[in-house]
Amino acid sequence: MSKKKSEGDPPRSCRARAAGDLVGNIGGQSFRRFGFVQHSIVSRWAEIVGERYAKVSSPESIKFPAGSKAGGVLTLMVVGAHAPLIQHLTPMIVERVNRFFGYAAINRIVFRQGKPAPAAPPPQRPQLRPVPKELGEGLREIADPGLRACLESLAAQIAASTGVPSLSNESGEPIPVINRSE
């Protein structure tokens, strides 16, 4: 016999799904276990408190009262010598974290002394090649590196070609001309 469908099961579709859809909540489960309902606070900590304070502190967990998502306690791991300074900045950190959440999620901060995990270095962008003079000055003004590389390639192909592009018409039938002015 076949398995009975429950009302909570999503309908099956015979289509390919993105890998991110399949494994999207794996990290979310581990973050929730340590008290992070919104794991982006960990990854965006430098944006929230600033680069200077993110080097010496990192969020460890957020504990909320039972049945509530407001009035929580944020636990920070702080380098020992910087703990008094960060403790004086508690009102500013609470304000910035609450602004990040969009509501009064944090009421107070608890500090633990220790060495926070080092932040991952930002990915290095590839160095752009200088635009050859033959291709003109117009390509130098394009800020997007992907678009600029594509246009450089197109310009190089056009410069390497000889004459006007031609269409091969093996059947001998004339190519219809569309006159849009009528």
Side-chain angles (χ1 to χ4, degrees), residues 78-85 113:
V78 182
V79 175
H82 295 276
L85 171 69
Q113 291 188 4

Side-chain angles (χ1 to χ4, degrees), residues 5-182:
K5 288 187 176 182
S6 67
E7 292 179 19
D9 290 341
R12 295 189 79 183
S13 64
C14 297
R15 63 175 177 83
R17 295 190 329 193
D21 294 342
L22 300 173
V23 296
N25 290 330
I26 290 175
Q29 293 294 333
S30 62
F31 276 119
R32 254 185 243 109
R33 190 176 82 203
F34 289 105
F36 288 107
V37 177
Q38 189 173 13
H39 59 81
S40 59
I41 190 172
V42 177
S43 60
R44 297 178 64 186
W45 184 245
E47 294 175 36
I48 295 171
V49 296
E51 197 66 39
R52 179 180 180 188
Y53 302 122
K55 289 179 183 177
V56 296
S57 67
S58 67
E60 193 173 73
S61 68
I62 299 175
K63 305 282 188 206
F64 292 106
S68 175
K69 293 294 179 195
V73 177
L74 172 66
T75 304
L76 287 182
M77 178 73 74
V78 182
V79 175
H82 295 276
L85 171 69
I86 299 293
Q87 190 170 7
H88 284 290
L89 298 173
T90 298
M92 183 217 36
I93 294 172
V94 168
E95 175 190 345
R96 289 185 180 183
V97 170
N98 287 338
R99 188 180 327 144
F100 176 76
F101 278 113
Y103 65 97
I106 304 299
N107 275 353
R108 65 187 184 100
I109 298 178
V110 173
F111 298 99
R112 287 194 49 217
Q113 291 188 4
K115 184 150 177 80
Q124 296 295 323
R125 292 185 166 226
Q127 296 297 323
L128 300 175
R129 300 183 315 260
V131 178
K133 295 274 186 197
E134 308 86 55
L135 299 180
E137 295 294 320
L139 291 177
R140 293 181 189 275
E141 299 171 5
I142 298 173
D144 183 21
L147 177 61
R148 190 168 110 187
C150 184
L151 291 174
E152 285 175 4
S153 172
L154 177 64
Q157 292 292 328
I158 291 173
S161 68
T162 57
V164 180
S166 62
L167 298 173
S168 61
N169 189 0
E170 298 172 2
S171 65
E173 295 178 21
I175 299 174
V177 177
I178 301 173
N179 198 355
R180 296 185 186 259
S181 62
E182 295 177 349

